[in-house]
Amino acid sequence: MEKIAFVIGIIAVILYLSCYQQKKRSRIILFNATSRVLYIIQYILLGAFEGATLDILGTISSVLAQKKNTPFIKKNMKWFIVGLNLLIIGAGLPLYKNIFSLFPLIGVILHTDAFWMDDEKRIRQISLAGSPFWLIYNFVNQAYGSCVGDVLSIISLVTAMFRYDFKKKR
């Protein structure tokens, strides 16, 4: 089971790293949501239900963010964002074990809130702010494969920021 989880985790990392290399918002979110589904499967296989729960809610939020221009969501966008954040907090707090249990909660909120933004530059900036929380959580919980993915995602975000955000200014 651990080997299957490892392979699924590696595929999730590859998709997650690829998401920030996408130029369009819709593709960033599509790649991210697909990687989240794979992370959920990995966490379930490893018995890490806290990570699975928060990634499920993160995936739901990402999918809704992808559809944010539909009339109903557009009209009620603030309520969707607030409601989803409250749902994430409401699901995450009962799973509290120690201070590090809050880290994926913060990471999920930052990552998913970023996808409600229209500006790809801001999506990358806010996502970068959320990545260290997952890195610390995964390290503390000895999810070293995910730690490698977290470090690579930080590198990927910084690379994408250079390619799309900073390079244009020169």
Side-chain angles (χ1 to χ4, degrees), residues 79-124:
W79 290 111
F80 270 95
I81 296 169
V82 169
L84 288 164
N85 283 339
L86 290 174
L87 186 61
I88 290 167
I89 292 167
L93 288 180
L95 299 171
Y96 181 86
K97 295 175 189 167
N98 55 42
I99 190 70
F100 297 109
S101 300
L102 299 176
F103 282 45
L105 184 77
I106 296 166
V108 166
I109 288 173
L110 287 170
H111 283 153
T112 57
D113 282 2
F115 294 135
W116 288 91
M117 299 176 179
D118 290 319
D119 182 9
E120 290 84 359
K121 180 178 180 178
R122 294 290 296 156
I123 292 171
R124 287 185 277 273

Side-chain angles (χ1 to χ4, degrees), residues 15-130:
L15 287 172
Y16 183 75
L17 294 177
S18 300
C19 85
Y20 294 109
Q21 297 306 315
Q22 305 305 306
K23 189 167 183 161
K24 298 289 182 184
R25 177 182 175 278
S26 61
R27 290 191 50 91
I28 292 172
I29 294 171
L30 174 67
F31 276 59
N32 182 272
T34 305
S35 74
R36 282 182 183 275
V37 170
L38 294 174
Y39 276 121
I40 292 164
I41 294 168
Q42 174 195 17
Y43 282 131
I44 290 170
L45 290 173
L46 294 172
F49 299 111
E50 181 178 67
T53 300
L54 293 171
D55 260 345
I56 288 169
L57 294 173
T59 302
I60 292 168
S61 182
S62 295
V63 168
L64 288 172
Q66 174 67 19
K67 299 182 180 303
K68 77 178 204 159
N69 290 322
T70 59
F72 181 73
I73 294 175
K74 190 173 188 172
K75 181 180 176 184
N76 299 292
M77 190 178 319
K78 288 182 184 180
W79 290 111
F80 270 95
I81 296 169
V82 169
L84 288 164
N85 283 339
L86 290 174
L87 186 61
I88 290 167
I89 292 167
L93 288 180
L95 299 171
Y96 181 86
K97 295 175 189 167
N98 55 42
I99 190 70
F100 297 109
S101 300
L102 299 176
F103 282 45
L105 184 77
I106 296 166
V108 166
I109 288 173
L110 287 170
H111 283 153
T112 57
D113 282 2
F115 294 135
W116 288 91
M117 299 176 179
D118 290 319
D119 182 9
E120 290 84 359
K121 180 178 180 178
R122 294 290 296 156
I123 292 171
R124 287 185 277 273
Q125 290 171 339
I126 301 301
S127 295
L128 180 61

